[in-house]
Amino acid sequence: MEITTGKKIRGKFVVLYGAPGIGKTTLASKANTPLFLDAESGTDELDVARLSIKSHEQVREAFVAAFKATDYKTVVIDSATAIERLLTAKVVQERNIKTLARAGYGAGFQDLKDSWIETLKPIDAMLQANRN
């Protein structure tokens, strides 16, 4: 086992939580070269780089594109709530049900959790590579 010293640089996963319209997106726009994964058009009034996400098919595609876009130091998910709505729509469509609860015995919610885990894999890889 090797003893090391000094600071270790690691990517950070930060959550900004607050009521709509208080400036979470504007604050995030001040981060180091941000790339927004914009699922609710929250960046329309900001001069930022963005990938617009309009459907559940585009969710994973955008996360992978963010991982590949090495010119950006920060990835901003705007917003997790909007992404979850899209992932929920995917599960509901795949199971041919009206709501997650209709899948029975928590199966719809488990599918949603699995979708989140799969969706966040590129973000996990970025954190391991010391990117935010």
Side-chain angles (χ1 to χ4, degrees), residues 7 11 16 24 32 36 48 57 61-62 67 72-73 91 95 103 105 107 110:
K7 292 182 179 180
L16 298 177
K24 298 178 298 291
N32 189 5
F36 280 79
V48 296
E57 293 89 0
E61 181 182 331
F67 174 72
Y72 300 95
K73 304 293 183 211
V91 171
R95 285 188 164 268
Y105 301 104
Q110 182 62 47

Side-chain angles (χ1 to χ4, degrees), residues 2 5 20 34 53 55 70-71 76 80 87 90 92 109 112 117 130:
E2 182 181 336
T5 61
I53 302 170
S55 67
T70 58
D71 291 345
V76 180
L87 295 177
K90 175 185 173 217
V92 166
F109 296 100
L112 177 59
I117 290 169
N130 298 324

Side-chain angles (χ1 to χ4, degrees), residues 58-99:
Q58 294 176 330
V59 171
R60 175 90 171 138
E61 181 182 331
F63 278 71
V64 170
F67 174 72
K68 292 178 180 178
T70 58
D71 291 345
Y72 300 95
K73 304 293 183 211
T74 306
V75 174
V76 180
I77 301 167
D78 192 15
S79 72
T81 301
I83 297 291
E84 183 158 308
R85 279 189 212 112
L86 295 172
L87 295 177
T88 298
K90 175 185 173 217
V91 171
V92 166
Q93 180 183 25
E94 287 174 349
R95 285 188 164 268
N96 195 27
I97 53 179
K98 291 186 179 185
T99 67

Side-chain angles (χ1 to χ4, degrees), residues 99-120:
T99 67
L100 291 177
R102 295 282 179 130
Y105 301 104
F109 296 100
Q110 182 62 47
D111 287 354
L112 177 59
K113 176 185 163 194
D114 293 343
S115 290
W116 264 117
I117 290 169
E118 188 62 30
T119 298
L120 290 173

